[in-house]
Amino acid sequence: MVAVGDPAGARFNAAVRRLLVLLKDEGGGYLDDVVGAAKALRWRQITQPQPLDFNPGMLELAGEVSKHTARLRGAIGDQALLDELAAAAVEVAATDPVAGTLLLHSCEEIGSESCVVIAASKAAAAGLKPWLRDHGVLVLTAGELERDQPKSEQAYVIGPPRFFRSSLVTAPVTSGITFILPAWFGDRGVPRSAIAAYAEGAIRIEARVFTEGDTTEPELDLPGDAEDENEFLPQPAWGHRQSGDREPTSEEVEARKVLLSGNLAMWLDDGERIRSLDPAQPVGERVTYTEVPAVRAGTYLLLRQGATERGALYQAAIARVARGEVIHQAQAAWKHLLTDRLHEAGYRQVVKQLRTAGVMAADQARAWTTPHLIRPHSDQDFERLLQWLGINTQPTFGYASMLRKTLYQVSAEIGKQLEAAVSAADLSELETTGYLSLDVKAEGFRGILATRVLAISPFTEIVPRHDARVPFEDRSGQWLE
């Protein structure tokens, strides 16, 4: 582990720590913008040490810090802190990161063909690649390293161990691993396997720490115990659940707020799956579906701007299937009955009754009321649901199965068009910016956006059903990129 002296970064880090103490003491949302910009600039210093010519985000974030400190003049008593924060940000933006110089020297010393640089995120990798590509150095994320298994002897990992999965150390792909981080970052603990504490004769990996350059830091006299480093990382402020403990109405749904690249967000409900994009897959296999519980930060979603894709797929399937209007009415009938039961007895009681009736996926009862979720996945579940509702199995069962088959056909056709649009697009832009508009020709499916998930709320809110899965402008994730 190499801790690189970085006087400019150490000065800014000290100012950020003082700012966080002020935030704890005073609270209030008026500090959110300057705190968010400061955390983001600090994060970029740690994870993207490329020269400023390849680092426009560093200059942009330093400018944001200066802008927001200027706006706070007169709003807080400690004006000296604001002045110091702004001055430190200017100094950071005036000097190439020291860690980058050391990284490049190390790569050249061992030979570019013998090493690989590991970035803390896809966004960080996208920032490092244009710089290191000119020197013949491969840049990967930790996940790509494990998947691709490059024939490299040495891995240079940008950032402290705590930013990476433990397998990077406990199941190494390369013979040597060197973490490069600023000396002012105090947490240098090495990740360990989750089972190491219980395993007999477990190997405990220790790090050798070397320092480079001027590692002196400003003296800080901050109150309280040692800070949790998580407080200094870019993170969204979710607040608290506003919907209370009530159940959704028939026109509402419980959903989690998902922050997306491009200053967007959406409400993700409990449907079964959502269209997604995996740029790492071969051409023709990039557009797929992801189960809703599997969506996480870093997932790329394909969303229709201004409306849901599900609605367009349903209308296209109804228009194509034989006796479409009759099938639509049959679908509306059983869904209406289920909605009434949910309204009368409540969600929890309906789930209990359905389980008693043998419906295994009873907890999906609320989702089944939406027009776009054609029917339960299990034939047996659907038959028992219809029996519980007092509806003859046929022709409703056959209608729903026919409609679902048609919808899958329409979805597959749209998927092929999306694949063609993805193949024609510049996916490097997607990695750099986190979002990309796709040119899809199909009627009703224009305005498809590929966008990266930045964060997912830890709790749900009750929102109007028609708002679910529709992207909208939201700057809550602007500091998470």
Side-chain angles (χ1 to χ4, degrees):
M1 193 177 305
V2 181
V4 185
D6 176 17
R11 179 187 179 187
F12 184 73
N13 176 62
V16 173
R17 291 183 176 275
R18 288 173 55 195
L19 178 65
L20 266 290
V21 171
L22 177 67
L23 179 65
K24 287 181 181 178
D25 291 343
E26 297 200 4
Y30 66 96
L31 290 173
D32 286 350
D33 281 332
V34 69
V35 168
K39 285 182 177 180
L41 178 55
R42 183 178 180 272
W43 168 261
R44 182 171 281 264
Q45 287 179 273
I46 299 169
T47 60
Q48 296 198 45
Q50 62 266 31
L52 296 178
D53 287 346
F54 295 87
N55 209 338
M58 186 84 79
L59 304 177
E60 180 182 349
L61 286 171
E64 288 291 316
V65 172
S66 298
K67 179 178 74 175
H68 290 299
T69 53
R71 288 179 176 176
L72 287 172
R73 288 191 178 278
I76 65 174
D78 193 353
Q79 185 60 49
L81 169 57
L82 294 181
D83 292 340
E84 172 60 14
L85 187 68
V90 169
E91 185 178 354
V92 164
T95 311
D96 287 340
V98 183
T101 303
L102 174 70
L103 170 64
L104 184 57
H105 175 74
S106 300
C107 291
E108 291 174 341
E109 188 174 49
I110 195 173
S112 60
E113 70 285 349
S114 301
C115 66
V116 58
V117 170
I118 308 302
S121 66
K122 289 183 178 179
L128 288 163
K129 283 177 180 177
W131 169 47
L132 292 176
R133 186 186 300 123
D134 293 343
H135 300 277
V137 178
L138 179 65
V139 178
L140 301 173
T141 63
E144 291 169 340
L145 176 71
E146 293 181 1
R147 184 186 69 239
D148 298 346
Q149 300 275 316
K151 296 180 179 179
S152 302
E153 299 175 7
Q154 175 69 41
Y156 291 108
V157 186
I158 308 304
R162 64 169 318 206
F163 288 0
F164 299 87
R165 60 184 74 180
S166 61
S167 59
L168 187 63
V169 171
T170 58
V173 173
T174 58
S175 301
I177 300 174
T178 298
F179 290 90
I180 297 177
L181 65 154
W184 46 262
F185 191 95
D187 185 351
R188 299 171 188 173
V190 178
R192 291 182 170 82
S193 168
I195 64 172
Y198 311 99
E200 183 177 349
I203 298 174
R204 300 188 180 277
I205 301 172
E206 303 294 339
R208 292 183 296 169
V209 180
F210 302 90
T211 58
E212 291 280 345
D214 181 1
T215 59
T216 58
E217 298 185 32
E219 291 187 8
L220 284 174
D221 184 18
L222 300 179
D225 300 328
E227 303 97 331
D228 179 1
E229 178 57 38
N230 288 330
E231 297 178 10
F232 297 88
L233 302 181
Q235 53 192 302
W238 297 112
H240 302 283
R241 179 179 163 94
Q242 302 298 312
S243 304
D245 196 32
R246 70 180 180 89
E247 292 189 358
T249 68
S250 60
E251 299 301 319
E252 295 177 324
V253 65
E254 286 206 39
R256 295 182 187 274
K257 189 176 184 181
V258 178
L259 299 181
L260 305 165
S261 292
N263 290 325
L264 296 173
M266 76 165 185
W267 295 103
L268 181 60
D269 59 7
D270 60 353
E272 293 179 348
R273 59 183 190 165
I274 187 169
R275 185 97 66 175
S276 60
L277 168 67
D278 186 351
Q281 294 303 311
V283 174
E285 300 179 18
R286 290 169 176 162
V287 175
T288 183
Y289 278 100
T290 296
E291 300 297 315
V292 167
V295 174
R296 53 181 48 85
T299 301
Y300 288 98
L301 300 180
L302 291 172
L303 305 174
R304 184 167 174 246
Q305 300 181 64
T308 65
E309 179 192 341
R310 295 182 300 181
L313 285 173
Y314 181 82
Q315 293 301 326
I318 285 292
R320 179 179 299 188
V321 71
R323 305 185 69 191
E325 185 57 33
V326 173
I327 292 176
H328 174 66
Q329 291 175 3
Q331 286 289 103
W334 74 262
K335 288 174 181 288
H336 181 71
L337 283 176
L338 179 56
T339 299
D340 287 347
R341 296 280 183 97
L342 285 164
H343 180 70
E344 293 166 3
Y347 171 72
R348 294 181 180 87
Q349 187 62 29
V350 166
V351 169
K352 182 178 179 181
Q353 292 176 16
L354 284 173
R355 284 178 175 158
T356 301
V359 178
M360 302 301 294
D363 57 348
Q364 288 287 305
R366 192 181 286 140
W368 291 332
T369 64
T370 65
H372 318 127
L373 190 56
I374 306 300
R375 44 150 287 186
H377 181 72
S378 163
D379 288 349
Q380 192 173 63
D381 272 0
F382 191 28
E383 290 173 350
R384 290 175 176 174
L385 171 64
L386 293 175
Q387 292 168 6
W388 180 77
L389 291 171
I391 298 175
N392 292 332
T393 302
Q394 297 296 347
T396 300
F397 183 95
Y399 285 161
S401 299
M402 186 187 307
L403 179 60
R404 184 174 66 173
K405 180 180 179 180
T406 304
L407 185 138
Y408 283 167
Q409 291 172 348
V410 173
S411 178
E413 292 170 8
I414 298 301
K416 290 180 180 178
Q417 294 193 37
L418 285 169
E419 283 285 3
V422 168
S423 298
D426 181 6
L427 294 187
S428 64
E429 180 182 344
L430 181 63
E431 287 194 350
T432 303
T433 65
Y435 62 96
L436 180 67
S437 293
L438 298 175
D439 184 17
V440 181
K441 305 298 184 184
E443 186 68 31
F445 292 90
R446 293 168 186 166
I448 296 291
L449 179 74
T451 179
R452 183 167 56 225
V453 173
L454 301 179
I456 303 175
S457 170
F459 54 83
T460 62
E461 291 284 3
I462 296 175
V463 300
R465 188 179 298 278
H466 57 73
D467 287 345
R469 304 198 182 195
V470 179
F472 57 90
E473 290 189 10
D474 188 303
R475 299 186 65 81
S476 301
Q478 65 177 321
W479 308 121
L480 301 179
E481 298 280 10

